[in-house]
């Protein structure tokens, strides 16, 4: 598991990419897809066409890290194919890596304070 610093965003590319791409190839996709620099410290996720393989690109301050995971029996849950991508919370990222349905997470509402009259 990748430990994320507070404030780190997780960008998820919705369209599949070639898993033959390495550090430089995936870093070159970051700017056009997400309009941010690949060296900003955020995590960028890419998936294969089959949905069983993903790669994560992350700048840790001293260099780019490339993480990969392949599922043997299932597929990663991915958003519909649209231009650009989606931003995930660190909790949703953890669920995605574990091949769980991250879309079912609910962002808790602020507690409601009863009005006294």
């Amino acid at each position: 598991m990748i430990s994320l610093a507070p404030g780190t965003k997780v960008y998820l590319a919705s369209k599949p990419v070639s898993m033959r791409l390495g550090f430089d190839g995936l870093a070159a996709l970051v700017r056009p897809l997400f309009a941010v620099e690949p060296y900003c410290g955020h995590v960028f996720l890419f998936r294969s066409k089959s949905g069983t393989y993903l790669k994560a690109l992350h700048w840790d301050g001293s260099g780019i890290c490339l993480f990969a995971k392949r599922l043997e029996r299932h597929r990663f849950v991915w958003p519909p194919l649209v231009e650009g991508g989606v931003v995930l919370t660190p909790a949703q990222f953890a669920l995605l890596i574990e091949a769980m349905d991250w879309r079912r997470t609910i962002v808790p509402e602020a507690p409601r304070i009863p009005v006294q009259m």
Side-chain angles (χ1 to χ4, degrees):
M1 180 65 192
I2 303 169
S3 61
L4 302 178
T8 303
K9 293 182 181 177
V10 179
Y11 291 91
L12 181 72
S14 64
K15 289 190 176 180
V17 300
S18 171
M19 289 293 107
R20 294 177 288 180
L21 295 174
F23 295 93
D24 297 327
L26 292 174
L29 294 176
V30 170
R31 257 187 234 107
L33 286 174
F34 306 113
V36 295
E37 290 293 320
Y39 308 105
C40 62
H42 298 305
V43 177
F44 304 97
L45 296 174
F46 303 92
R47 77 168 180 116
S48 65
K49 190 173 184 179
S50 67
T52 60
Y53 193 68
L54 72 76
K55 286 188 176 182
L57 194 68
H58 175 66
W59 172 261
D60 69 355
S62 63
I64 290 187
C65 303
L66 183 63
F67 301 94
K69 183 168 183 177
R70 183 181 69 201
L71 297 177
E72 298 297 328
R73 296 187 183 164
H74 303 287
R75 292 178 171 203
F76 290 103
V77 177
W78 223 256
L81 300 179
V82 295
E83 290 299 321
V86 177
V87 178
L88 300 180
T89 66
Q92 290 172 324
F93 172 59
L95 291 172
L96 174 70
I97 294 295
E98 295 300 323
M100 298 173 76
D101 193 350
W102 57 270
R103 298 171 302 177
R104 296 182 186 258
T105 58
I106 299 171
V107 177
E109 292 182 27
R112 296 183 183 181
I113 301 171
V115 177
Q116 296 181 0
M117 294 185 180

